Amino acid sequence: MRLKALLVDDEPAALERLTALFDQIPDVELVGVARNGREAAQAIADLSPDLVMLDIQMPQLSGLALASELPAEHRPEIVFVTAFEVYAADAFAVEAADYLLKPVRFDRLRQAVERARRRRTLQKVYERAEAATAPARETDLDGIWVATRNGHVRVAVGEIDWIEAAKDYVLLHTATRSHIHRITMSALEQGLDPAKMIRVHRSAFVSPDRVEAVNRLGKGLIALVLRDGVAVPVGPTYVKAVQARLGLAVEA
């Protein structure tokens, strides 16, 4: 399997070294470089790499923060590259494929790339198997069928204020109650009308009609305040799209 790789580091020398090492690894295409977390988030969205070699300590957005906010669907394999050992536990907590220490040795880089390749290949196999056996969708553009003790109830999308992920379930929050529904966020997104429900985080959707205010959180981050006072944070990779969807000035 050929991999598309993105290199992310704020040190030019580190980028040059990684580029030289990757030239020696077959079946890997370097599709771009980024020099900070914000630039990396945009590059991931634009280039859809299979593999991201990601520094941890960077300006604007750390590598760990970026990895934790990446959408679960179409998420690239992450290999952290850092001069510090202390972040290893945090790196694997966000499901990193590997963790390399600078200066990177060629044998360890090749090992990390092959590990990422195996994980990517298995993921493709799982996706094909899941698609072949997937049941009929329980969502449509206007409503979601939720199982109850007595059968099913249809929750109109127009009644939902926001949706949050809860492991293998989602919580559908309306003005009167919250419904629990077993479905993944990616599967749910396929059946939702983007005009009625916008993705604001890997773990949240919000109805744009329920947004009463937008609060700045610093470092370019924002939170959407809904009509009932709930504040839903917007993930770093979604900020520009959410601002544009709400008709706000997109910050540089």
Side-chain angles (χ1 to χ4, degrees):
M1 178 183 180
R2 187 171 180 81
L3 296 178
K4 296 190 299 179
L6 173 71
L7 310 184
V8 184
D9 202 303
D10 62 331
E11 299 176 2
L15 285 176
E16 290 178 9
R17 178 175 174 79
L18 275 177
T19 300
L21 292 175
F22 266 101
D23 285 342
Q24 305 174 55
I25 300 178
D27 294 326
V28 177
E29 176 189 1
L30 292 182
V31 295
V33 299
R35 294 170 177 81
N36 60 62
R38 295 284 177 208
E39 194 176 304
Q42 190 60 53
I44 290 170
D46 293 341
L47 302 173
S48 300
D50 302 298
L51 168 64
V52 177
M53 305 297 297
L54 185 59
D55 190 15
I56 288 183
Q57 291 192 337
M58 293 185 297
Q60 299 189 32
L61 185 69
S62 74
L64 286 170
L66 171 61
S68 67
E69 295 298 340
L70 288 175
E73 58 274 16
H74 311 302
R75 185 179 189 272
E77 297 298 331
I78 302 294
V79 173
F80 285 105
V81 184
T82 179
F84 306 96
E85 297 183 8
V86 295
Y87 299 110
D90 294 327
F92 290 113
V94 294
E95 301 180 3
D98 212 333
Y99 187 90
L100 304 183
L101 293 175
K102 298 177 180 178
V104 177
R105 303 196 322 267
F106 176 71
D107 60 328
R108 278 293 289 121
L109 176 61
R110 184 172 55 185
Q111 184 182 65
V113 170
E114 291 311 310
R115 181 174 296 166
R117 197 192 307 274
R118 287 195 300 272
R119 285 168 52 126
R120 202 69 173 167
T121 301
L122 283 173
Q123 182 61 33
K124 296 293 184 183
V125 171
Y126 293 151
E127 287 175 356
R128 287 195 293 268
E130 186 177 61
T133 59
R137 282 206 312 233
E138 296 177 333
T139 66
D140 56 48
L141 294 181
D142 297 311
I144 300 172
W145 286 97
V146 176
T148 68
R149 285 183 296 180
N150 299 319
H152 288 77
V153 60
R154 186 173 183 272
V155 181
V157 171
E159 297 177 357
I160 299 172
D161 295 340
W162 70 293
I163 301 171
E164 67 174 319
K167 293 188 178 180
D168 295 331
Y169 295 82
V170 297
L171 298 176
L172 313 175
H173 299 289
T174 71
T176 56
R177 62 168 296 184
S178 295
H179 303 268
I180 187 168
H181 180 46
R182 186 177 179 89
I183 193 172
T184 64
M185 294 290 279
S186 57
L188 181 61
E189 186 171 29
Q190 294 176 23
L192 289 174
D193 185 345
K196 296 180 180 178
M197 197 66 61
I198 57 176
R199 189 79 176 263
V200 302
H201 192 282
R202 64 182 300 190
S203 302
F205 294 91
V206 165
S207 168
D209 295 335
R210 304 302 199 277
V211 178
E212 296 287 336
V214 178
N215 289 347
R216 287 193 176 91
L217 303 179
K219 297 184 179 179
L221 299 179
I222 60 175
L224 306 182
V225 181
L226 308 187
R227 63 183 181 182
D228 60 358
V230 171
V232 182
V234 177
T237 57
Y238 296 89
V239 171
K240 288 186 178 180
V242 170
Q243 288 175 325
R245 176 64 180 81
L246 296 177
L248 304 175
V250 177
E251 297 180 1

